[in-house]
């Protein structure tokens, strides 16, 4: 009995002990769990606060403005007019362009490594008349291959200067053609596949002006560098003395600089001595879109688009130009006044995120015009300037569609050895271009000037009713274009169509088309090894 009682005591004691320990252990576990939950909640709250603060910091710091901060202390440089180095027996005007590396002091005492044509940065202005035969000897003295594309020019595909016409270091390329298009403000720049953005940023760009009898007879400002000014606008960021080519956080449009320069001049001003001043605006930036107006909100006249004069001047206060686009405007000056060409914030980039991080909220003071106390009288602008030499859709024989996405055009990235479209010489087509990619794009077609028929099914605004080769397509935009292909047939050498936000182009938002005779098939483009230099 004693053993049994003794044996039962531990069990009893254990049971009682278990009952006593259970609540204490449960309370302790619950307290531990509460501490863990409180700690996790505190950490999560801190992380959310930090994340919110970080986002707020990114958001508030994502816009850029130089309004009211630009000193305008440097006189605007005007690129020199290139004179032909010789004229051949058949009348061909020969120009020489050398791609060079150099240095330039954009800011006193700080030398920046640059590239340029015939100099340290940018290039001379070439000029020719309709009907002229021209030849350009392009010599590459750089240490890597590049090209020179004649943006907006109607010319044979082998002379176009696309990625198939690479010029190796030490080599010379000599394109030649006959000018066969109306007076216009065109430009030239590199086009190497995969490296166009950095080559343009380093300074390889210049204007190519075309004249004709009609434009020469009109009472327009036309004295180059006096009342007719080239305005090559680029954005730039400096890292010490160097150009910064980096893309900022969330900048999926490409490089966006924190200040602008005109003709390679920072903080530029220009003294003018005429009542009317013609500004040939060129957006030579690689990704930034500008909305040009004046700080006093004055009205001015747009007289030309990419491919030449409008039918009549269009009065406006704002003009939006995406990379590669050009426009000619005429502004009236009053004696002794100063006015500033400014780029204003824009609201058509898509959603607030893309507007904020894509440059749509940015603003820049670009160029100050200073009028002399006495101005030379200028004749009034003509009410009508002529007919457009671009087709409508009345005789279009085919319609094509192009969907713009970062993944490629119509779902395909650029391939140098693939012809994407084949068009028949002497025919008119309509091309419908759509952007539903959530970010801004634009669209440039080589060789042709086209007419904008519709923007989102509506009649295009006045600034798009001239001859165009590049158009801006914000997210949610569809444009219908009409173009005629009169160039010489060449089934083996393609022209390009692409987004001219150059980062997008370099990533493969580009396709190729060839012009052939009726019934002829496209060939296979020959691809040199250095044509893939960027990839």
């Amino acid at each position: 009995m004693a053993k049994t009682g003794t044996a039962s005591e531990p069990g009893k004691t254990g049971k009682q002990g278990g009952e006593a320990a259970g609540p204490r252990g449960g309370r302790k576990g619950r307290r531990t769990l509460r501490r863990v939950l409180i700690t996790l909640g505190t950490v999560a709250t801190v992380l959310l606060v930090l994340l919110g603060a970080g986002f707020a910091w990114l958001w508030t710091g994502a816009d850029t403005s130089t309004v009211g901060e630009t000193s305008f202390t440097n006189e605007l440089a005007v690129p020199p007019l290139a004179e032909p180095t010789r004229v051949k027996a058949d009348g061909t005007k020969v120009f020489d362009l050398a791609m060079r590396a150099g240095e330039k002091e954009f800011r006193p005492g700080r030398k920046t490594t640059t590239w340029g044509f015939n100099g340290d940065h940018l290039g001379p202005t070439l000029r020719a008349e309709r009907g002229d035969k021209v030849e350009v000897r392009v010599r590459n003295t750089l240490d890597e291959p590049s090209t020179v594309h004649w943006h907006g020019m109607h010319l044979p595909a082998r002379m176009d200067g696309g990625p198939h016409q690479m010029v190796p270091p030490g080599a010379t390329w000599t394109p030649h053609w006959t000018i066969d298009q109306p007076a216009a403000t065109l430009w030239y720049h590199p086009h190497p596949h995969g490296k166009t953005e950095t080559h343009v940023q380093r300074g390889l760009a210049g204007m190519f002006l075309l004249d004709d009898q009609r434009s020469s007879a009109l009472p327009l400002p036309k004295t180059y560098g006096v009342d007719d000014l080239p305005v090559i606008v680029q954005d730039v960021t400096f890292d010490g003395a160097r150009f910064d080519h980096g893309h900022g956080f969330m900048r999926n449009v490409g490089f966006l600089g924190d200040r602008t320069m005109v003709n390679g001049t920072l903080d530029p001003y220009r003294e003018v001595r005429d009542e009317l001043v013609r500004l040939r605006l060129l957006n030579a930036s690689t990704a930034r879109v500008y909305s040009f107006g004046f700080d006093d909100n004055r009205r001015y006249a747009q007289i030309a688009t990419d491919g030449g004069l409008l039918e009549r001047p269009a009065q406006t206060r704002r003009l939006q130009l995406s990379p590669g686009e050009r426009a000619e405007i005429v502004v009236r000056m009053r004696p002794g006044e100063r006015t500033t060409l400014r780029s204003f914030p824009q609201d058509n980039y898509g959603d607030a995120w893309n507007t904020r991080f894509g440059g749509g909220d940015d603003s820049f003071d670009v160029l100050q015009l200073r009028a002399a106390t006495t101005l030379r009288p200028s004749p009034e602008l003509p009410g009508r300037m002529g007919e457009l030499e671009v087709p409508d859709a009345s005789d279009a024989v085919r319609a094509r569609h192009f969907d713009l996405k970062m993944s490629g055009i119509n779902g395909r990235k650029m391939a140098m050895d693939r012809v994407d479209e084949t068009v028949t010489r002497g025919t008119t087509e309509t091309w419908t271009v759509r952007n539903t990619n959530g970010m801004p794009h634009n669209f440039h077609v080589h060789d042709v000037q086209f007419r904008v028929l519709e923007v989102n099914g509506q009649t295009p605004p006045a600034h798009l009713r001239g001859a165009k080769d590049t158009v801006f397509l914000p997210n949610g935009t569809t444009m219908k274009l009409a173009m005629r292909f009169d160039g010489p047939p060449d089934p083996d050498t393609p022209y390009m169509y692409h987004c001219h936000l150059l980062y997008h182009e370099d990533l493969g938002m580009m396709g190729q088309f060839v012009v052939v005779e009726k019934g002829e098939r496209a060939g296979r483009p020959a691809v040199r090894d250095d044509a893939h230099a960027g990839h």
Side-chain angles (χ1 to χ4, degrees), residues 468-489:
K468 295 285 292 174
D469 55 58
T470 309
V471 284
F472 181 49
L473 289 101
N475 178 54
T477 302
T478 299
M479 286 194 186
K480 187 176 182 181
L481 318 173
M483 60 196 80
R484 183 177 177 84
F485 301 91
D486 289 324

Side-chain angles (χ1 to χ4, degrees), residues 120-383:
D120 52 18
H121 186 255
L122 298 181
T125 298
L126 305 185
R127 195 158 199 167
E129 294 189 19
R130 191 170 197 171
D132 281 351
K133 296 178 181 179
V134 298
E135 176 179 299
V136 187
R137 297 186 297 202
V138 178
R139 185 164 53 94
N140 184 3
T141 69
L142 303 172
D143 58 2
E144 62 180 280
S146 191
T147 71
V148 181
H149 165 56
W150 317 104
H151 186 125
M153 192 77 73
H154 172 55
L155 74 179
R158 293 180 184 273
M159 312 300 171
D160 183 56
H164 291 275
Q165 288 93 37
M166 298 294 289
V167 186
T172 298
W173 175 58
T174 309
H176 54 89
W177 69 97
T178 299
I179 305 296
D180 187 18
Q181 62 192 101
T185 298
L186 310 184
W187 68 304
Y188 58 94
H189 64 81
H191 212 303
H193 186 31
K195 286 192 172 183
T196 300
E197 183 187 51
T198 56
H199 283 212
V200 173
Q201 284 176 335
R202 290 172 178 174
L204 290 178
M207 277 193 175
F208 200 137
L209 305 184
L210 302 184
D211 301 305
D212 62 15
Q213 290 184 352
R214 183 186 70 178
S215 68
S216 298
L218 290 171
L220 299 172
K222 56 174 63 76
T223 304
Y224 181 81
V226 179
D227 62 354
D228 184 357
L229 300 176
V231 180
I232 304 172
V233 184
Q234 297 171 300
D235 58 339
V236 63
T237 295
F238 289 96
D239 179 5
R242 300 185 307 111
F243 281 143
D244 183 353
H245 300 293
H247 295 179
F249 185 65
M250 304 300 300
R251 305 291 196 184
N252 55 20
V253 296
F255 172 81
L256 295 176
D258 59 13
R259 62 192 302 183
T260 57
M261 58 184 179
V262 178
N263 303 344
T265 309
L266 294 171
D267 303 332
Y269 72 89
R270 185 69 179 181
E271 294 184 353
V272 295
R273 299 182 178 277
D274 295 88
E275 290 179 337
L276 295 182
V277 180
R278 180 182 190 172
L279 303 180
R280 297 178 184 257
L281 302 175
L282 160 61
N283 183 350
S285 294
T286 61
R288 184 172 293 286
V289 180
Y290 299 99
S291 178
F292 289 112
F294 288 90
D295 60 338
D296 53 11
N297 209 34
R298 69 179 60 194
R299 293 173 66 86
Y300 56 90
Q302 181 186 0
I303 62 170
T305 51
D306 300 334
L309 296 173
L310 294 165
E311 291 183 327
R312 55 184 57 84
Q315 295 293 322
T316 188
R317 287 187 172 90
R318 298 287 185 274
L319 180 60
Q320 191 176 48
L321 294 181
S322 64
E325 288 188 278
R326 289 90 61 212
E328 298 176 28
I329 66 172
V330 175
V331 58
R332 179 172 292 279
M333 302 296 295
R334 294 183 292 272
E337 73 169 342
R338 295 185 178 187
T339 188
T340 298
L341 180 68
R342 177 175 291 170
S343 177
F344 290 84
Q346 300 149 74
D347 60 1
N348 62 343
Y349 276 48
D351 57 26
W353 182 272
N354 278 287
T355 300
R356 192 65 164 178
F357 291 99
D361 286 335
D362 297 349
S363 53
F364 297 91
D365 280 347
V366 178
L367 169 67
Q368 186 180 77
L369 297 179
R370 301 176 181 178
T373 54
T374 302
L375 297 178
R376 286 183 289 261
S378 300
E380 293 295 322
L381 294 178

Side-chain angles (χ1 to χ4, degrees), residues 345-465:
Q346 300 149 74
D347 60 1
N348 62 343
Y349 276 48
D351 57 26
W353 182 272
N354 278 287
T355 300
R356 192 65 164 178
F357 291 99
D361 286 335
D362 297 349
S363 53
F364 297 91
D365 280 347
V366 178
L367 169 67
Q368 186 180 77
L369 297 179
R370 301 176 181 178
T373 54
T374 302
L375 297 178
R376 286 183 289 261
S378 300
E380 293 295 322
L381 294 178
R384 186 169 180 82
M385 296 181 291
E387 300 291 334
L388 294 181
E389 295 186 29
V390 285
D392 54 27
S394 59
D395 61 346
V397 299
R398 180 165 179 173
R400 301 179 196 261
H401 292 77
F402 300 86
D403 199 26
L404 305 182
K405 293 186 183 299
M406 286 293 284
S407 57
I409 298 179
N410 290 342
R412 296 196 290 185
K413 284 189 177 292
M414 168 69 175
M416 293 281 291
D417 59 352
R418 184 188 70 228
V419 173
D420 298 284
E421 307 289 342
T422 303
V423 302
T424 302
R425 181 177 180 263
T427 62
T428 299
E429 296 188 354
T430 60
W431 287 17
T432 299
V433 188
R434 183 181 67 167
N435 175 17
T436 58
N437 197 205
M439 69 182 72
H441 294 303
N442 73 1
F443 192 69
H444 169 52
V445 185
H446 289 209
D447 182 55
V448 299
Q449 294 291 330
F450 50 73
R451 184 189 297 263
V452 179
L453 300 174
E454 298 175 3
V455 179
N456 292 333
Q458 304 297 316
T459 301
H463 73 278
L464 293 178
R465 294 179 192 168

